[in-house]
Amino acid sequence: MTSPVTSRLDGDIAVVTIDNPPVNALGHAVRAGLAAEMAAHEANGAVAAVVLACAGRTFVAGADITEFGKPMQSPGLHEVIAQIGQMSKPVVAAIHGTALGGGLELALGCHYRIAIATAQFGLPEVKLGLLPGAGGTQRLPRVLGAVPALEIMTSGEFIGSDRALAGGLVQRIVPDLEGAALAFAREIAAARPLPLVAHDDGKLAEARANPGSIDEFARSIARKSRGFKAPAAIVDCVKAALDKPFAQGLAYERERFIELMNSPESAAQRFAFFAEREAGKVPGLASDTPTRPIRQAAVIGAGTMGGGIAMNFANAGIPVTLIETGAEALDRGLKTIRANYEATARRGGITPAEAEARVGRITGSLTLDAAATADIVTEAVFEDMALKKELFGKLDRIVRPDAILASNTSTLDVDEIAAATSRPERVLGTHYFSPANVMRLLEIVRGKATDPGVLASTMAMARKLKKVPVVVGVCYGFVGNRMLHRRSGQVESLLLEGASPAELDQALLDFGFPMGPCAMADLAGIDVGWRIRQGLGLKDAVSDRLHAAGRLGQKTGAGFFRYEPGNRAPIPDPAVDAIIAEAAAEKGVNRRTIPQDEILARLLYPMINEAAHILEEGIALRASDIDIVWFYGYGWPVYRGGPMYWADHVGLATIGDTLRKMADRLGDDRLKPAPLIERLAAEGRGFLSPKS
Ligand code: T1G
């Protein structure tokens, strides 16, 4: 088998090229190839310097994640980097695309780094529940300083070439890589001593003089790192870089890396990495299905969702027309958008100039005709079928024949909406999650007539809007809301049976959710849930009473909890306990103390059961898509894997048994285990087990 690493000589410069598509990951063959080529050039007297480059779209994007969890074959990456460090000739890393994880660590192990202006750099291992395990935690602080390095390693965010050059991560930004790399190598070939990051502690001085800065940084990320093991381990490794000689720091990093690699949290996050990529593939939809670019958009409805959706287009550089029926509503919507951008600029998320540019891409209008030239028209009006059908009928007569008509409905039948037009093949659902400009999930609801090109174009659009698209079928509530509906049912019965709103929320907070069901209902608005139930003819003995009492949630300062003015922290309220006790008495429910693990099972198992029905009906393409929906739409903690992954770890036999007991005790047949759960449990398999 040919090695993915080859060399050629250009005079006295050896050019070593890695060619391992799609992202030049450092699999075993690449590592072995690198070790062999470097050894050859070290031994070759005719070679004065080495350039390390990559073919294809990017420099090395990291270790090969598909090798994780398997016995590691030698040489390991840290051995290859150590070998380069012992060479008597300079090695220049020539970087384009992304230098990530092990790829950046490899470059940091070289003597010099040059890059083109569009290159990006990062150590995103934390997103896999890991830490940079090939010297990144010891070398990056020596280049950028301890705290800037910590910011990059604990956020997993990428930095651009400007910051890399300013921080000394690269020595030069060059227009064309190949020629400049050779010229640079010739320029430094004779320079001695050879510079190695490992030998230069200069940038550590500041943190060594102020060790409290590391603890302060650790405190600043504590809240958002809740439940994740890797960020704290990264902080410990940087402390080791400050306190220990380089070699000992490296050994300490290795130890912590292996600990994380063997952790269930990292296994779950690695699953999520590949699940997200799988979600982007639709069986039967060829990857080369022709797509139409979205150059202009229109959004109907300037409410909370419409405004957020419009911001997504503006953020991606796409001009968007925001259409409302009334001037007041339009004005309010545009003002909210401007305020959002100004707040982001104040926080330093974007520059004031960029904020202005984005506001400038959004044009308000009071006529539907303004949507006539749009490539995609997204409706975000009131969740009412008759209203949506009437609107789509009108749009059908206005918009271009090749335009895409999308509905942001969160529950309704997209086929019925499509049938209100003469072009159902150009209609689908694009279900954004609130706040629409922040939440990354986009449920793309494929109707029975939706054209493959329309679907592919909308998925491409989603990526351009930096959303994670998940294709789902038409049913009430699609995937996420349909499962959430089952959880809400248990919220009511658990409260009636004796659990308090605080106990319910604590069960999910301890599990890792950012918010519990009661606080979430207060955020969304008790009236919103009430109106949906009215539409479906459903009742909720507790929430209906809160609604009747005018406790609509945060917006009225009281819902399941009460809120101090200007403060979103939920405060338990005895008045709510009284309301619940009254409802329970009326229903003749005997109240009891409910253990937390029972609360958790009652909240999560019925959702998983509904997910099994969703899979059986083909509403979701695969189990891992459901996990992606819950990661990016509902804050399910990624280090536990999503509902399907977690269910497999609990065991479907256990879940089936518990559901059966729940159904019997609560007299609710909908809780009976789905046939899929019964079958898989009987076969000793899980939702994610490979097909037999
Ligand atoms: N290993 C194996 N496969 C990878 C991979 C990797 N590191 N990165 C990407 N792929 C596959 C991916 O599954 C997909 O496959 C295809 O490449 C295109 O990816 C010791 C321990 C580079 C920014 O975390 O962030 O180094 O689905 O769809 O949107 O310290 O991929 O086509 O079959 O994402 O253009 C650290 C992970 C590893 C970076 C490109 N590195 N990759 O994004 O394409 S841990 C990372 C990315 C490590 C060391 C440690 C992105 C990208 P398929 P894609 P993209």
Side-chain angles (χ1 to χ4, degrees):
M1 194 177 88
T2 53
S3 166
V5 183
T6 55
S7 292
R8 68 178 179 81
L9 284 186
D10 187 305
D12 59 358
I13 307 297
V15 180
V16 174
T17 303
I18 299 172
D19 189 0
N20 185 31
V23 294
N24 290 313
L26 290 159
H28 177 246
V30 173
R31 299 192 309 269
L34 278 174
E37 295 300 323
M38 291 301 175
H41 298 315
E42 175 65 8
N44 180 347
V47 171
V50 178
V51 169
L52 173 59
C54 288
R57 64 183 172 128
T58 180
F59 190 77
V60 176
D64 187 337
I65 307 170
T66 62
E67 289 186 348
F68 293 171
K70 301 172 190 148
M72 188 54 80
Q73 293 176 276
S74 182
L77 178 55
H78 54 292
E79 292 165 73
V80 174
I81 295 174
Q83 180 189 345
I84 291 173
Q86 281 138 20
M87 288 175 67
S88 65
K89 306 165 185 187
V91 180
V92 179
I95 299 166
H96 73 293
T98 53
L100 304 176
L104 180 55
E105 292 173 299
L106 175 64
L108 283 169
C110 296
H111 304 94
Y112 300 93
R113 289 154 295 283
I114 67 168
I116 57 174
T118 53
Q120 294 204 298
F121 307 80
L123 293 176
E125 286 85 344
V126 71
K127 294 190 176 172
L128 300 168
L130 296 169
L131 55 79
T137 69
Q138 304 303 302
R139 289 191 172 89
L140 194 66
R142 283 176 163 79
V143 175
L144 299 179
V147 172
L150 276 170
E151 282 162 0
I152 290 172
M153 291 189 283
T154 55
S155 67
E157 298 310 317
F158 304 170
I159 64 168
S161 59
D162 297 351
R163 255 187 86 189
L165 183 67
L169 195 56
V170 296
Q171 281 70 42
R172 196 168 293 172
I173 299 296
V174 296
D176 95 276
L177 206 52
E178 177 91 13
L182 288 166
F184 184 89
R186 293 206 163 87
E187 197 183 308
I188 52 84
R192 294 296 180 279
L194 294 173
L196 276 176
V197 171
H199 300 162
D200 180 358
D201 277 15
K203 286 279 183 73
L204 297 181
E206 190 185 333
R208 281 182 174 149
N210 173 15
S213 61
I214 307 297
D215 294 328
E216 195 188 321
F217 177 83
R219 281 192 296 277
S220 73
I221 61 163
R223 207 173 113 81
K224 68 171 186 252
S225 309
R226 192 172 67 91
F228 293 92
K229 288 196 174 144
I234 292 170
V235 169
D236 293 345
C237 287
V238 172
K239 283 185 176 171
L242 297 175
D243 307 340
K244 300 176 191 291
F246 182 79
Q248 287 176 30
L250 215 51
Y252 179 77
E253 174 197 273
R254 190 102 206 115
E255 199 188 299
R256 298 304 301 272
F257 175 76
I258 292 165
E259 176 197 306
L260 291 175
M261 177 67 85
N262 298 327
S263 71
E265 289 79 8
S266 178
Q269 288 178 258
R270 293 181 330 243
F271 157 77
F273 176 85
F274 290 112
E276 182 178 334
R277 275 130 194 101
E278 273 315 289
K281 300 167 188 161
V282 178
L285 187 69
S287 57
D288 60 357
T289 300
T291 61
R292 288 181 47 78
I294 305 295
R295 294 197 186 87
Q296 195 182 335
V299 175
I300 320 295
T304 311
M305 290 307 288
I309 295 168
M311 289 174 74
N312 287 314
F313 289 107
N315 295 350
I318 300 170
V320 54
T321 308
L322 186 57
I323 302 172
E324 249 302 346
T325 46
E328 207 188 315
L330 180 60
D331 197 41
R332 198 172 40 245
L334 292 171
K335 277 206 174 79
T336 305
I337 290 171
R338 173 174 281 283
N340 276 335
Y341 279 129
E342 286 170 356
T344 308
R346 271 196 306 280
R347 282 196 310 273
I350 53 176
T351 64
E354 179 54 23
E356 226 22 73
R358 294 182 186 191
V359 169
R361 291 187 197 113
I362 303 176
T363 311
S365 172
L366 294 173
T367 166
L368 278 183
D369 294 339
T373 57
D375 296 302
I376 186 167
V377 181
T378 305
E379 148 294 296
V381 301
F382 203 56
E383 190 73 345
D384 175 83
M385 182 57 91
L387 178 65
K388 291 186 191 283
K389 287 166 79 171
E390 185 203 346
L391 175 61
F392 272 69
K394 287 183 186 156
L395 288 170
D396 189 29
R397 293 185 290 279
I398 291 169
V399 303
R400 284 194 347 238
D402 58 351
I404 296 173
L405 287 174
S407 169
N408 181 51
T409 178
S410 56
T411 55
L412 299 175
D413 184 332
V414 169
D415 289 327
E416 192 178 338
I417 295 172
T421 74
S422 62
R423 56 174 91 194
E425 74 286 356
R426 306 209 64 79
V427 176
L428 47 48
T430 51
H431 178 209
Y432 293 82
F433 287 73
S434 182
N437 58 311
V438 176
M439 297 300 281
R440 293 197 55 210
L441 179 67
L442 186 63
E443 274 185 328
I444 297 183
V445 187
R446 174 168 49 178
K448 60 175 182 280
T450 302
D451 173 83
V454 166
L455 183 62
S457 301
T458 309
M459 292 180 76
M461 175 202 81
R463 293 193 191 95
K464 184 157 185 186
L465 301 187
K466 298 212 177 344
K467 300 295 181 190
V468 177
V470 176
V471 176
V472 299
V474 174
C475 70
Y476 182 81
F478 317 126
V479 170
N481 282 349
R482 179 170 160 183
M483 292 168 67
L484 187 68
H485 191 58
R486 282 283 165 261
R487 188 178 84 181
S488 310
Q490 288 305 310
V491 168
E492 180 198 7
S493 54
L494 282 161
L495 291 170
L496 292 172
E497 287 176 48
S500 69
E503 284 170 333
L504 284 192
D505 280 18
Q506 198 57 47
L508 289 194
L509 288 170
D510 291 351
F511 185 79
F513 277 92
M515 192 178 267
C518 299
M520 198 159 117
D522 280 352
L523 177 68
I526 301 293
D527 52 329
V528 175
W530 181 82
R531 256 202 306 279
I532 291 175
R533 283 192 305 281
Q534 292 295 303
L536 296 168
L538 295 174
K539 292 202 171 319
D540 181 307
V542 175
S543 296
D544 292 351
R545 272 184 168 75
L546 294 177
H547 181 262
R551 300 179 67 101
L552 306 185
Q554 284 193 14
K555 59 182 134 189
T556 57
F560 280 102
F561 299 99
R562 69 178 180 81
Y563 300 84
E564 294 295 341
N567 189 329
R568 290 169 181 265
I571 305 164
D573 188 341
V576 174
D577 301 335
I579 288 174
I580 298 171
E582 188 194 294
E586 193 183 288
K587 283 189 168 267
V589 178
N590 298 326
R591 313 198 74 209
R592 62 189 172 97
T593 304
I594 307 178
Q596 201 188 60
D597 57 353
E598 180 186 341
I599 291 175
L600 195 65
R602 292 266 301 267
L603 291 175
L604 301 185
Y605 290 9
M607 280 177 31
I608 290 163
N609 198 33
E610 195 61 29
H613 289 299
I614 286 170
L615 272 177
E616 287 161 346
E617 296 162 23
I619 299 294
L621 293 171
R622 53 184 79 85
S624 59
D625 285 6
I626 297 175
D627 291 340
I628 295 297
V629 164
W630 277 82
F631 292 147
Y632 288 111
Y634 300 84
W636 182 289
V638 66
Y639 53 81
R640 291 191 184 274
M644 311 315 272
Y645 181 98
W646 181 73
D648 282 1
H649 281 71
V650 171
L652 295 189
T654 305
I655 292 182
D657 290 349
T658 311
L659 283 166
R660 218 169 286 112
K661 292 191 186 97
M662 268 190 217
D664 297 345
R665 200 169 63 73
L666 299 167
D668 183 345
D669 285 351
R670 290 169 306 173
L671 293 173
K672 286 214 168 97
L676 179 62
I677 289 181
E678 302 275 31
R679 181 165 58 75
L680 291 171
E683 295 166 5
R685 293 175 54 224
F687 290 122
L688 296 158
S689 309
K691 299 240 175 318
S692 54

